[in-house]
């Protein structure tokens, strides 16, 4: 199985700050990576797919980058509504696997 | 718009089975796989498996083989997951999701399954 290592486990950011979350795959996943945001008591929501494609309706302050085994999610200007837990997921091969999550809070 | 409506919360006893449903609407049901995902309280997401509603073909995470069985009813655009031989470790929220080239753009609201004696 492909292991997804996500960091940091948690972080706090001020309004307007730029935030970056990292995800490392145990093997090359050829940009087969997605990022999700989950708020308490809610289902995850897809933010980014294909490592860098923005899902419809997602604010442009979210962006994804990376290749091979290293990927990152950037929030260019932290907003209150961006609080939540973020997960990466590889969609290259079964079984799909998720990172352990990053809890993002407002400082 | 795409909607995945899941069945209600379940409270079950150890050793029993439970079958939860996921009714799809707003798209052609047979055109996209349905994935099932487990999330224990405060924990990360685990992919259980997926089913192709058109063919009925399935793919499972080895960890959940023998635990989860995925089926569909094309006539009602509904996917099902049966969980068997339940233990407290199966207590979790279970999501269904429409899968699109390895990603999940649409999710059900989740079903809380509680296993307790």
């Amino acid at each position: 199985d492909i292991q997804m290592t996500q960091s940091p486990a948690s972080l706090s950011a001020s309004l307007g700050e730029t935030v970056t979350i990292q995800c490392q795959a145990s093997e090359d996943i050829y940009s087969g990576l997605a990022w999700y945001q989950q708020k308490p008591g809610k289902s995850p929501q897809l933010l980014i797919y294909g490592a860098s494609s923005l899902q419809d309706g997602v604010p442009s302050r979210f962006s994804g980058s990376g290749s091979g085994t290293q990927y990152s999610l950037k929030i260019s200007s932290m907003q209150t509504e961006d609080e939540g837990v973020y997960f990466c997921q590889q969609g290259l091969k079964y079984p799909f696997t998720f990172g352990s999550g990053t809890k993002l809070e407002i400082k | 718009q795409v909607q995945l409506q899941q069945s209600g919360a379940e409270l079950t006893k150890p050793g029993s089975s439970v079958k939860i449903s996921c009714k799809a609407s707003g798209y052609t049901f047979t055109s996209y796989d349905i994935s099932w995902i487990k999330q224990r309280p405060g924990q990360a997401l685990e992919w259980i498996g997926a089913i192709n509603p058109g063919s009925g073909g399935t793919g499972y995470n080895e960890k959940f083989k023998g635990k989860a069985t995925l089926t569909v009813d094309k006539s009602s655009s509904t996917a099902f997951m049966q969980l068997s031989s339940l233990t407290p470790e199966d207590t979790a929220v279970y999501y269904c999701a429409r899968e699109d080239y390895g990603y999940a753009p649409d999710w059900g609201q989740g079903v809380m399954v509680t296993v307790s004696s």
Side-chain angles (χ1 to χ4, degrees):
Chain A
D1 298 359
I2 298 175
Q3 305 302 313
M4 305 301 293
T5 303
Q6 191 174 335
S7 62
S10 64
L11 74 159
S12 58
S14 303
L15 286 174
E17 185 177 342
T18 294
V19 172
T20 301
I21 299 169
Q22 310 281 354
C23 192
Q24 178 175 340
S26 60
E27 62 186 76
D28 194 328
I29 56 171
Y30 302 96
S31 297
L33 185 98
W35 291 96
Y36 300 86
Q37 176 195 62
Q38 186 177 33
K39 298 193 176 184
K42 300 295 187 182
S43 307
Q45 286 196 304
L46 179 65
L47 300 173
I48 301 286
Y49 62 95
S52 60
S53 296
L54 192 67
Q55 174 69 358
D56 288 348
V58 175
S60 58
R61 63 180 178 274
F62 290 91
S63 63
S65 63
S67 62
T69 62
Q70 301 280 356
Y71 299 87
S72 62
L73 173 71
K74 186 171 81 170
I75 307 172
S76 60
S77 177
M78 177 76 181
Q79 303 298 307
T80 304
E81 59 266 32
D82 299 336
E83 282 193 310
V85 181
Y86 292 79
F87 296 97
C88 60
Q89 176 236 326
Q90 66 82 14
L92 179 68
K93 61 172 78 168
Y94 284 176
F96 296 154
T97 44
F98 293 86
S100 54
T102 296
K103 186 174 183 178
L104 176 60
E105 297 176 320
I106 286 284
K107 192 181 292 183
Chain B
Q1 75 282 21
V2 173
Q3 287 193 332
L4 298 169
Q5 183 64 40
Q6 296 187 242
S7 48
E10 300 273 1
L11 174 59
T12 62
K13 294 192 183 303
S16 66
S17 296
V18 68
K19 190 172 186 178
I20 60 181
S21 66
C22 171
K23 182 171 176 59
S25 61
Y27 72 99
T28 302
F29 181 60
T30 52
S31 295
Y32 298 90
D33 288 0
I34 294 286
S35 279
W36 291 86
I37 299 103
K38 176 183 181 181
Q39 187 172 38
R40 299 194 69 186
Q43 301 298 309
L45 301 160
E46 288 186 277
W47 184 82
I48 296 169
I51 186 165
N52 181 309
S55 66
T58 54
Y60 290 94
N61 186 333
E62 282 290 328
K63 178 179 178 180
F64 292 95
K65 282 186 176 178
K67 170 63 66 178
T69 303
L70 306 182
T71 56
V72 295
D73 175 7
K74 286 191 282 188
S75 68
S76 63
S77 298
T78 303
F80 299 92
M81 179 173 67
Q82 179 160 323
L83 299 169
S84 61
S85 303
L86 291 167
T87 73
E89 287 66 46
D90 297 314
T91 294
V93 176
Y94 292 87
Y95 295 100
C96 63
R98 182 176 71 93
E99 183 193 313
D100 190 359
Y101 290 102
Y103 314 117
D106 302 290
W107 294 63
Q109 80 275 21
V111 176
M112 181 71 212
V113 175
T114 303
V115 184
S116 173
S117 54

